[in-house]
Amino acid sequence: MDKSLIKSIENSLKQHWDLPALSDYKGSVFHYKDLAVNIAKIHILFEQIGVEQGDRVAICGKNSANWGIVYLATLTYGLVAVPILNEFKQDNIHNIINHSESRIFIASASVWENLNSELMPNVDTFIMLNDFSIIRSKQHKVFEVRETLNKLFGKKYPKDFGPENISYFEENPEDLCMINYTSGTTGFSKGVMLPYRCLHNNMVFAYEVLSELKAGDTIVSMLPTAHMYGFSFEFLYEMIRGVNVHFLTKTPSPNVILEAFAALRPRMIVTVPLILEKIYKKTLLPKISKPLMRTLLHVPVVDKQILNKINKALCKVFGDNFIEVIIGGAAFNPEIELFFKRIGFRYTVGYGMTECGPIITYEGWKNHKLYSCGRKATNMEIRVDSPDPQNVVGEVHCKGPNVMLGYYKNEEATQAQFTDDGWMKTGDLGVIDRDGFLFLKGRNKSMILGPSGQNIYPEEIESKINTSPYVLESLVVEQGERIVALVYPDFELMKEDQKDPETTMKELMTLVNTELPVYSQLSTIKIHPEEFEKTPKRSIKRFMYQ
């Protein structure tokens, strides 16, 4: 791994010239040499537009090879990338473009049709992500440049374009590289300023712990590349290692994902808990809940044979070629995690946040501790703000090269995010055991204070509720002085099993309360008629239901 992020990208393009790099599933395939050529052409376009190092380029569209090409071109030209989640609403996109002071906005057709260029007055040039055509520009010459781009490229590189023609700038590690606008569970978007050192150290971390991933391997990109989790570990690291990334390009439903796994047999899988939890509930739980199976799973020797068969079947679902499945982005249901651990499934749970680009803790599947989210990542430090960090829950703080510069044009929020001695507050609560493993309990802002001062963590109650096959998702909130669960049931399954929703929820509440201390027991379960609003990493937007 090079000491420079830009040099790492440059060398990867040179070393993996003839290997496939970015593929749209069942669509276009770009080799590393194709990326290099397209990057060079986009650099010519940037030069003619007149943007300079440090200027902002906003990118908004679904995952695609073109998205990856544009991002790499932006990064290697020294511009500040502003990736925008295509799920964001129209007003939010307009606001981000203006707040970030982006000079170029590159958007897909589906995004562009809902926007108004007049509400983004500071943008110099609008470019279509689908084919890099110019939508609008304040400079008339830009249209001519785009039409003659191949000719200009040939003039600049009169001989065949080869690895020797690639030479990018040398970055300052502390300079701003990206502004990533969060879409959190507690409110509005903030522009997280990430320097080159942050992205580079995330790559150093990945290079150390994911060394089994080799040039020529294949992965399937399911998570939004505009979100730091998917961006760092389903795209950027792969580009540095010479891996072939396959973008699904459409909504990654379980059926689409599993079809891609079977066809492509990815070498590594990066996902969120929701995917595994759906597979468990829909595929595994009905089988292991049968009376005969329950009995057999308590018979010595026989239980191991059955668990091995379940593990093999599950591995086959994921393509049966993966090093490990990395789970992050939200809490993993403890009961489901215990089952995956019991069958010997190759999974691990990591932890991070946009403000760290994203990684904070991780441990490989072979050494992963049940219910933990790993140990501190490469060159990072973590602590729990508690008088007894091993036993008393406190806020998790971190420090190191992954940590952001601050929030763009929001000094007040930046200062509030850091302690007086320079540690960044994560807003998450947890404990650290003697071996350095972090165990999260919940979010600081979602914690409920019990009647006698007890800390109640809604996430822990939700994990118990969500183990029911009749629950698709739940949210525990405080209403008055009562603990209430909002539950979005699986109405279809209830109908199949001839279950009355109200009766089923009452029975579930009785069962869950037997597993909870008196001070955190539910007073009622309210049926929520539709799916909860979520962030792109599939966490429920809690602030909308408080």
Side-chain angles (χ1 to χ4, degrees), residues 2 79 99 200 217-218 355 370 376 388 423 538:
D2 289 287
L79 303 174
H99 185 264
H200 180 260
D217 282 344
T218 293
E355 286 82 350
L370 186 64
K376 64 180 182 178
D388 183 4
W423 290 74
R538 306 303 292 165

Side-chain angles (χ1 to χ4, degrees), residues 7-8 11-12 17 106 131 220 229 366 509 516 534:
K7 184 60 70 175
S8 297
N11 287 339
S12 179
W17 193 253
I106 305 172
D131 58 6
V220 174
Y229 182 31
K366 293 178 182 177
M509 187 179 78
L516 295 171
K534 298 194 184 60

Side-chain angles (χ1 to χ4, degrees), residues 360-520:
I360 297 174
T361 64
Y362 167 90
E363 181 58 71
W365 75 275
K366 293 178 182 177
N367 299 314
H368 170 258
K369 273 193 183 182
L370 186 64
Y371 308 136
S372 82
C373 53
R375 293 184 274 200
K376 64 180 182 178
T378 307
N379 299 322
M380 291 292 287
E381 296 178 67
I382 58 170
R383 73 180 186 188
V384 167
D385 187 20
S386 160
D388 183 4
Q390 289 187 29
N391 301 295
V392 179
V393 173
E395 184 177 28
V396 179
H397 296 167
C398 66
K399 181 189 283 188
N402 289 11
V403 176
M404 67 173 179
L405 296 170
Y407 297 112
Y408 188 55
K409 295 194 293 191
N410 195 338
E411 186 59 31
E412 183 180 351
T414 299
Q415 289 183 4
Q417 197 72 20
F418 289 87
T419 64
D420 292 338
D421 56 350
W423 290 74
M424 193 186 78
K425 305 172 187 176
T426 66
D428 291 305
L429 301 171
V431 293
I432 301 177
D433 73 6
R434 64 178 63 188
D435 297 318
F437 282 88
L438 178 65
F439 296 80
L440 294 177
K441 298 297 181 181
R443 289 287 294 170
N444 204 355
K445 292 181 180 178
S446 64
M447 187 188 76
I448 298 170
L449 199 62
S452 301
Q454 308 96 331
N455 293 340
I456 300 170
Y457 304 106
E459 294 88 349
E460 292 186 345
I461 304 174
E462 290 158 10
S463 69
K464 296 180 184 299
I465 296 170
N466 293 343
T467 56
S468 167
Y470 300 112
V471 174
L472 291 175
E473 54 189 9
S474 67
L475 189 66
V476 172
V477 298
E478 185 178 25
Q479 293 185 351
E481 295 183 355
R482 302 189 309 157
I483 307 299
V484 175
L486 308 178
V487 171
Y488 174 44
D490 190 333
F491 293 109
E492 188 177 324
L493 183 59
M494 285 186 182
K495 188 176 181 180
E496 288 178 13
D497 293 350
Q498 297 181 331
K499 293 280 187 178
D500 173 65
E502 293 290 347
T503 303
T504 303
M505 290 302 107
K506 286 180 181 178
E507 292 172 350
L508 175 60
M509 187 179 78
T510 301
L511 179 62
V512 169
N513 279 342
T514 62
E515 301 177 16
L516 295 171
V518 174
Y519 64 82
S520 65

